[in-house]
Amino acid sequence: MTTIFFLSSSSSSSIFTTSKPLKPFSSKKPKKPTLHLTKSILSSTTETSSPALQTFWQWVCDKGVISNKSPSIKPGIVPQGLGLIAQRNISRNEVVLEVPKKFWINYDTVVASEIGKFCGGLKPWVAIALFLLREKSRKDSPWRSYLDILPITTNSTIHWSEEELSELQGTQLLSTTIGAKDYVQSEFLKVEEEIILPNKHMFPSITVDDFLWAFGVLRSRAFSRLRGENFVLIPLADLINHDPSITTQDSSYEIKGGGLFSRELLFSLRAPVSVKAGEQVLIQYDLQKSNAELALDYGFAELKPDRNTYTLTLQISESDPFFQDKLDIAESNGLGEIAYFDFILGNSLPPAMLPYLRLVALGGTDAFLLESIFRNSIWDFLELPVSRANEELICQAIRDTCRTALSGFGTTIEEDEKLLERENLDPRLELAVRVRAGEKKILEQIDGIFKDRELELDVLEYYQERRLKDLGLVGEQGDIIFWEPK
Ligand SMILES: C[S@@+](CC[C@H](N)C(=O)[O-])C[C@H]1O[C@@H](n2cnc3c(N)ncnc32)[C@H](O)[C@@H]1O
């Protein structure tokens, strides 16, 4: 049988612009970073502060990072590493912190620095990564106190060992993680060749692992609305941790002018819920992120079922004899040669998926619908089943895709759920199990939807019957009406 359309399961990450084939991990042990990074502050401890944190706080106060004389928050050691602790009762929506622009680290900071002249035209995150690594290597860096409280690692999957990654076997998160590491490596090789090596006197010896560390720091500490061109690190504010139970996101922070007579911008952070003295001030990082995205960016996942997503990639094959017509129709309905459909656990099929699928599978005696006279109405036709053959083909293709994807996992959902019942599970293992169980559940859900559809193939109403009905040629019971000549 010729493949008339192509379906694949693939990564949904939107940050990586290239969709090149993913390379497997190198089996080499990661090289030791040449930079001396501070001891992990993520270790479990009952202390609420540390010398590095006290030095940082002193720096924050001396420099006037926070203007208020009696601050409502103070950094402290918390179960999530470092966090912001309320110094008194804080009410909902109260501003807890305002950090002036001169203490932000963004592209402008890099441009204004000694390495600025080498960084023109770089992506903001790449320039900031170079800046962080250079400052980290300088004993007398003005950012020393801040750099010393940055974690040496997080639980983001980009920092996992190969053994830890093997727990993600079969998942889209694994492909996304490999893609992210490949992306960082290719950016590093470019910047190494074009900037670091020709200007050795300005840069420390930076390895790909150092660059990956900087990438991880930036991804885990950037506020979701301040990414891309507006990428910015905000010392102190970036100690805020995430609370899954908070469901408001946008009102927690804003950039505003510094007052009537000041032209300086401020990053202003609010408490989205009231907090008692001594408790942590927390925010919602991003309601839109899936568990896989949370795992990649921050190294944690949530329990909410709808954080589990799976992306199906559908494609009109170039070898399809109707390729051009199908592409025209897809494009005039906001889709393209390749279309990505994100499934959310427990939700119905993504909109436009069925019409696109039916379009991709269209052929044989249904191909007349691709003729130009139907161009304005074809999408409406595709919203409903076209023919038994077409509907059967899409069911088979999707179910095959689901079954193939499911066979790529190393464990069953039941085994995962048993593991999750264990106490004191390693946080990375727990994260892997949660994400892989979520992906499998969605694949089973999609398979179930198309299995049920297969059972309905004989009773569904198809294009030809609808057409005859519209023309008044079919009775209520589906019987063809004949007109006897009088
Ligand atoms: C913006 S930083 C917050 C400050 C960070 N806790 C630190 O020690 O520097 C984001 C990182 O904090 C940790 N984190 C934040 N919220 C968390 C949560 N709800 N559960 C687990 N880790 C969390 C993760 O390591 C994440 O990558």
Side-chain angles (χ1 to χ4, degrees), residues 236-398:
L236 190 61
D238 67 354
L239 292 182
I240 191 91
N241 289 312
H242 166 86
D243 181 353
S245 69
I246 295 173
T247 51
T248 50
Q249 174 187 334
D250 288 348
S251 51
S252 301
Y253 59 88
E254 64 180 323
I255 305 258
K256 55 184 195 185
L260 206 53
F261 303 107
S262 164
R263 295 183 60 192
E264 189 167 39
L265 295 176
L266 291 170
F267 175 88
S268 171
L269 185 69
R270 286 171 195 273
V273 291
S274 59
V275 184
K276 292 210 179 77
E279 287 178 355
Q280 224 190 129
V281 180
L282 296 157
I283 61 168
Q284 165 61 242
Y285 280 175
D286 195 328
L287 287 167
Q288 305 309 322
K289 281 199 168 132
S290 66
N291 267 344
E293 288 167 320
L294 292 175
L296 185 81
D297 286 355
Y298 309 110
F300 61 79
E302 282 195 9
L303 302 181
K304 287 194 199 97
D306 62 4
R307 286 277 191 181
N308 292 297
T309 65
Y310 197 92
T311 305
L312 277 189
T313 306
L314 309 182
Q315 184 174 2
I316 307 168
S317 166
E318 270 186 54
S319 60
D320 187 319
F322 306 107
F323 175 77
Q324 200 49 55
D325 285 323
K326 290 184 178 180
L327 184 58
D328 285 348
I329 294 164
E331 284 178 347
S332 48
N333 288 283
L335 296 161
E337 180 181 342
I338 301 178
Y340 303 95
F341 294 98
D342 293 334
F343 284 81
I344 300 174
L345 186 60
N347 286 19
S348 47
L349 294 181
M353 180 176 162
L354 279 175
Y356 188 85
L357 260 176
R358 292 183 183 122
L359 173 71
V360 173
L362 212 64
T365 53
D366 300 321
F368 72 96
L369 287 170
L370 295 167
E371 284 169 18
S372 51
I373 48 160
F374 294 113
R375 215 33 68 95
N376 290 334
S377 42
I378 175 131
W379 202 255
D380 289 340
F381 299 156
L382 294 169
E383 294 278 1
L384 296 167
V386 172
S387 68
R388 194 186 196 286
N390 180 271
E391 206 68 7
E392 192 169 14
L393 186 53
I394 67 170
C395 291
Q396 276 169 4
I398 293 286

Side-chain angles (χ1 to χ4, degrees), residues 110-121:
V110 184
V111 169
S113 75
E114 283 176 351
I115 60 164
K117 60 173 182 285
F118 308 108
C119 297

